[in-house]
Amino acid sequence: MKTVTWITLAMIVGIVLAITSAWSQDDMTIVDNAAFDNPQRTPSVFVHDAHNEAAGIDDCAECHHVYEDGKRLEDESSEDQSCSDCHELTGAGEGPPLIKAFHTNCKGCHQAQKKGPIMCGECHIK
Ligand code: HEC
Ligand code: HEC
Ligand code: HEC
Ligand code: HEC
């Protein structure tokens, strides 16, 4: 009986650890594509913290934004939400559809700064 209790406890601790580490951005290396029904590509590479450091982005709301009446709020950010919480696949609701939201955000900045990948295979690595 005791052994069973310990095994159960160890499993619970393991699950909790797995969940909390999956929720933190510091070990994120790709953008999860689970929100897409039938992904056509490999998930895009994106080493969250290293990318933002190399790119010199200090403001989380550069990507995790909050809008009100079509205006981006200065002191608000939405890193506790997924892009897909607001951007739907179909583009229903406010803002661009999910795929466009990602491509405009990522490629838009790379194009504007003339730095960072633009070609499909540089992000969706085979
Ligand atoms: C700067 C990086 C980047 C580039 C360049 C890029 N994508 Fe993406 N793409 C993403 C991200 C981020 C997503 C969101 C989900 C993910 O990680 O795949 C995405 C999602 C997608 C999706 C929806 C999910 C799926 O796999 O079906 C498709 C299709 C796609 N991209 C195709 C393309 C094509 C075609 C090109 C070139 C014309 C391209 N992408 C270039 C970053 C990029
Ligand atoms: C809390 C809801 C919310 C979340 C979370 C969110 N967005 Fe948005 N986003 C919006 C709304 C609303 C608009 C439309 C703004 C307007 O009225 O033009 C928008 C607009 C955009 C646009 C077009 C305008 C622009 O900034 O270039 C892009 C691209 C975009 N979002 C990408 C993303 C990405 C990528 C993520 C995740 C990292 C994300 N969004 C998370 C609500 C959200
Ligand atoms: C260059 C764009 C960008 C910037 C800047 C950025 N993030 Fe993110 N972050 C993302 C994307 C894309 C995701 C994945 C969102 C999704 O899957 O819907 C993400 C996910 C996250 C997550 C969830 C991690 C997970 O595994 O689900 C957290 C927490 C987070 N970011 C925090 C932050 C904080 C804090 C900052 C500012 C210090 C920040 N981010 C700046 C793009 C960015
Ligand atoms: C606000 C600007 C900005 C946004 C938004 C942005 N990037 Fe970048 N990205 C950069 C810059 C600048 C570089 C070049 C950094 C350097 O000089 O090493 C870069 C480099 C990269 C690289 C190559 C270097 C590396 O870190 O592996 C990848 C891959 C990349 N970005 C993916 C993405 C994806 C995916 C997104 C969207 C989720 C995104 N970026 C959003 C500015 C941005």
Side-chain angles (χ1 to χ4, degrees), residues 104-117:
T104 304
N105 175 250
C106 310
K107 289 200 268 181
C109 178
H110 296 167
Q111 257 152 355
Q113 297 204 10
K114 297 191 166 59
K115 270 187 205 159

Side-chain angles (χ1 to χ4, degrees), residues 28-36 38-47 99 102-103 106 117 119-126:
M28 179 176 160
T29 56
I30 52 148
V31 178
D32 189 14
N33 62 3
F36 295 89
N38 184 14
Q40 307 296 305
R41 302 259 164 176
T42 56
S44 173
V45 285
F46 184 62
V47 187
I99 182 167
F102 279 117
H103 285 159
C106 310
M119 308 283 283
C120 316
E122 292 177 295
C123 288
H124 302 286
I125 296 173
K126 292 222 171 121

Side-chain angles (χ1 to χ4, degrees), residues 7-63:
I7 291 173
T8 313
L9 253 177
M11 277 170 65
I12 292 172
V13 169
I15 290 167
V16 168
L17 280 177
I19 291 175
T20 40
S21 66
W23 274 346
S24 81
Q25 78 285 5
D26 47 331
D27 47 22
M28 179 176 160
T29 56
I30 52 148
V31 178
D32 189 14
N33 62 3
F36 295 89
D37 291 335
N38 184 14
Q40 307 296 305
R41 302 259 164 176
T42 56
S44 173
V45 285
F46 184 62
V47 187
H48 191 283
D49 286 6
H51 171 277
N52 295 343
E53 205 173 304
I57 313 170
D58 299 323
D59 186 3
C60 308
E62 195 71 58
C63 302

